[in-house]
Amino acid sequence: MAIFSDTEGTHAGHTTLKKGATGEEVKHLQQLLNHFYGSVLTVDGNFGSKTEDFVKRFQAACSLTVNGIVDSETWLNLEQIKSHTGKPHPTLRNGDKGDEVKYLQVRLNGHYGAKVVVDGNFGSKTEVLVKQFQADRKLTVDGIVGSKTWSFLEQPNYDV
């Protein structure tokens, strides 16, 4: 499952990676994980236990199979997140649907673990998590994801 319906601009033609792998593709993987989680991994090209842990966390955040193996689906989601970060986002609220809601859900899951299914439906569980996020960041707690909430969501300062 790709996060976004339109996969233009992303390329999932990478090697499948797992614990024990080494090389440039592992460095690229570590850079993409650091883009999502902040500078938590040393970019050394060694796929060790810590890299595996963050791959599993990312897979859970995206509602993917959590196995620590970076297959084409995991690569695609990593690249889609990177390409979508920092772009203008619409204001979202309960009842909204679509790719932007999926992106919101992945970002929330990145902060709190896999709390909501990435299904593109902004329902009550997503709203509760948005309100928790807003309260934790001392933002206006209204469950509406506007520009200020988006800016905090995209900061790579996850509690990891």
Side-chain angles (χ1 to χ4, degrees), residues 17 21-34 41-47 51 75:
L17 299 174
T22 60
E24 291 303 312
E25 282 223 282
V26 175
K27 285 182 181 179
H28 183 61
L29 166 66
Q30 291 166 330
Q31 290 167 342
L32 289 171
L33 289 167
N34 281 344
L41 295 171
T42 302
V43 179
D44 60 5
N46 293 310
F47 195 135
T51 299
W75 277 117

Side-chain angles (χ1 to χ4, degrees), residues 96-125:
D96 287 338
K97 296 180 188 310
D99 288 346
E100 286 290 336
V101 175
K102 287 181 185 178
Y103 180 68
L104 166 66
Q105 291 167 328
V106 169
R107 283 292 180 180
L108 288 168
N109 283 342
H111 282 278
Y112 294 110
K115 300 278 185 175
V116 294
V117 174
V118 180
D119 60 4
N121 294 311
F122 194 136
S124 59
K125 288 182 181 180

Side-chain angles (χ1 to χ4, degrees), residues 106-160:
V106 169
R107 283 292 180 180
L108 288 168
N109 283 342
H111 282 278
Y112 294 110
K115 300 278 185 175
V116 294
V117 174
V118 180
D119 60 4
N121 294 311
F122 194 136
S124 59
K125 288 182 181 180
T126 300
E127 183 177 24
V128 165
L129 204 51
V130 167
K131 287 180 177 179
Q132 179 183 347
F133 180 84
Q134 290 170 329
D136 290 347
R137 280 25 176 218
K138 298 182 181 10
L139 300 169
T140 301
V141 179
D142 58 7
I144 297 171
V145 184
S147 60
K148 193 170 245 181
T149 301
W150 275 119
S151 70
F152 277 85
L153 279 164
E154 289 190 322
Q155 290 177 4
N157 62 347
Y158 295 86
D159 303 323
V160 291

Side-chain angles (χ1 to χ4, degrees), residues 31-92:
Q31 290 167 342
L32 289 171
L33 289 167
N34 281 344
H35 179 78
F36 188 69
Y37 285 108
S39 297
V40 295
L41 295 171
T42 302
V43 179
D44 60 5
N46 293 310
F47 195 135
S49 297
K50 191 169 182 183
T51 299
E52 181 182 47
D53 180 46
F54 280 94
V55 167
K56 287 179 179 179
R57 288 177 190 211
F58 181 79
Q59 289 170 329
C62 294
S63 297
L64 301 173
T65 300
V66 179
N67 58 13
I69 298 171
V70 186
D71 57 10
S72 60
E73 189 172 46
T74 302
W75 277 117
L76 180 62
N77 282 274
L78 281 162
E79 290 180 353
Q80 285 185 335
I81 288 292
K82 184 176 183 202
S83 69
H84 207 67
T85 301
K87 290 186 175 181
H89 302 290
T91 298
L92 297 175

